[in-house]
Each structure stands twice: as structure tokens, then as C-alpha cells.
Amino acid sequence: MATTCAASHVAAARRASAARARAVHIFSSTRGHRSLLPRPHAKPESKPQDDSISASVERLMQDPENAAQLARVTEAAQRVAELQAESERLAAEMAAAAADQAASAEAAERRGAEAAAKLIAEAEVAAKAKLLQAAQLQAESADAARQKWAFDINEDAERLESAKAAAAAAIGGAAASLPLALTDGAPVGAALLALATAGVASALLGVTYRYAVRQDTSNLQLKAGVVAAFGLVRGLGQASGILTAGPGTADAVAGLDLSVASLGSAGLALGQCMLAAAFAATAVEAGFLQGLIKPFGAAGGGADGDSGS
């Protein structure tokens, strides 16, 4: 819109210039008429000559045509001056508008750069906060894991509690094996040996069970894994001895006695060993519940001391 207005004013200025040229031409013509006046003599101070000149000029000005031409020249000059002033004003306004537009563009660019820098700074702060939070969580997790196993171990007290666990487990395992040993019909020496073997294996299970479970007394999978490991190792060993004891029978296959009796005896031995391991672990658990046996790390006030502090 400003461009259209400026173009129209420029055209008007051009028209004014043309009008001024015509006015100058008319004025020149008027001067031609004035040349018809008599020239004064060398002595301008002559009053009669001045009066005659004034009278001639007055007569020329009284001529309607000359007066109209002079009026048109005066009007054209005034229009040219007005158009020049208007053109200067428009040029000043256009320069001011261009300066304002440049300042506005610079201010908008500066605001955009400031907003972008602010967003980048906020994103960096948020990312650093996330990294700090993640580091804090990792540190807390590491502290919790370290506190879970870091106890003030009293070795003498731990040995005593392990001996209690071994004794309880040995009693439990022997109690589970005693009925089978009495009903097996084996000699007394063989029965006592079987009970001793079961007791020793159960005692080892009790010590290992206490060290494996530690303070995690609610972890059933861990407990079952310890029982199954001991029961299967001992049971499979006995079953293997039964199956390889009579390879000369008619049911032997690849050196193994696969008769029904041998398979039944092997299965019975395996079940006996699993039952003895279960009884041994149950005896240790009963000691935990009754407070007679302390889990690993609780002996000597280690865990209690940590919790109390």
C-alpha cells in the first residue's frame, strides 16, 4: 500500500515538473511582452521616465490575458512547491518506515535467537537433571546391595551358628532315613552306616543352607534349589550304584541292571535322599523360627547392630 501511494506521488511530481516547465515558458512569453516597453535612458533617476515605465507595466497588468497568464504561473509555482514538499515528506516517511521495519526485523531475530537459546538451555538442564537422577538411583541401588551383604561378621559366632545348623540338619536327615534303614532288613552295621552317611550329608546341607539363604529367608526358590541339589547328588549316586551292581542279570542293558527290582531300589534310594534333604532343611528352618539358629550375618549382633544403628 505504501509503495502504491509513493508511485502516485512520484507521478504527481512529474506532472508538476511539466507544469512548471510550461509556466516558465509562459513567463518567458510575458517577458517578451515586457520587452516592448521603452528602455529607460542611462540616467534612471529621471522621474518622468519611471512614471512612464510604471504606467506601461500597469497597462500590461490590466490586460486580462496577461493577468490570467500571471495567475496561472503563480498557481503553477505554488503547486510545484507543494508537490516538492509532499515528495520530501513522503521520502522521509518511507525512510522512517524502512528504518522501523529493519529495527522490527532485527528485534524479532534477536527475540527468536533468545528464545532458541532459552529452549536449548532448558533442554540441557532437563537432560542433566535426568542423568543426575539416574546416577542417584544407581548409587542408591549399589548402597542397598552393599548393605544387604555387608555385615559386621563375628567369625566365632558364625561358626557356632553353623555348627547348630549342621546338628539340626543331621538330626533331621537321620530321622528321615531311620525308618527306611530299619525296614530294609540290612545288617545292623549297614543300617548304622546308612544313618551315618545320611547324617553327615544332612549336616553339610545344613551349613550350606544357612550360608546360601543368609538373610533372604523368604526366597523359596533359593531354598528349594539347595535341597534339590543335595538330594539329587546323593540320590543319583546311590541309584547309580544299585543299577550297576548286577550287570550279569538277564535284564541287563549296556552294563546296567534294568530289572524292576533294581529300578525300584534305585528310585527308593533317590526318594530317600530327597526326603532326608527336605527333613534336614526343615530342621534348620525350624531353628530359624524358634530363634535357636541365626541366619548368616545375624550372629554376634551384626545385622541387629546395623538395624539398631
Side-chain angles (χ1 to χ4, degrees), residues 175-260:
S177 301
L178 181 59
L180 296 177
L182 295 177
T183 59
D184 194 20
V188 177
L192 291 177
L193 180 60
L195 290 176
T197 303
V200 172
S202 298
L204 292 175
L205 184 148
V207 175
T208 305
Y209 187 87
R210 178 174 175 271
Y211 277 96
V213 174
R214 292 178 179 258
Q215 302 289 325
D216 197 6
T217 56
S218 61
N219 194 338
L220 297 178
Q221 293 181 350
L222 177 60
K223 296 177 180 180
V226 175
V227 172
F230 269 84
L232 288 175
V233 169
R234 182 166 175 262
L236 291 176
Q238 292 186 5
S240 176
I242 294 173
L243 294 178
T244 57
T249 60
D251 296 330
V253 177
L256 296 177
D257 185 4
L258 299 181
S259 62
V260 176

Side-chain angles (χ1 to χ4, degrees), residues 110-163:
R110 185 171 57 253
R111 289 194 298 270
E114 291 176 355
K118 184 177 180 181
L119 290 176
I120 293 174
E122 291 178 353
E124 291 179 352
V125 170
K128 291 180 179 178
K130 292 292 185 182
L131 291 175
L132 179 60
Q133 185 178 4
Q136 290 177 349
L137 291 176
Q138 290 180 355
E140 291 176 358
S141 178
D143 290 339
R146 185 171 57 254
Q147 291 176 2
K148 182 177 180 181
W149 305 113
F151 301 112
D152 186 11
I153 303 299
N154 188 335
E155 295 184 358
D156 294 335
E158 292 296 338
R159 292 192 187 97
L160 179 60
E161 297 301 323
S162 296

Side-chain angles (χ1 to χ4, degrees), residues 9 21 24 31 47 82 91 147 163 188 233-234 272-273 284 289:
H9 283 295
V24 171
R31 290 182 62 184
K47 187 174 180 181
E82 292 175 356
Q147 291 176 2
V188 177
V233 169
R234 182 166 175 262
Q272 179 183 358
C273 292
V284 177
L289 294 176

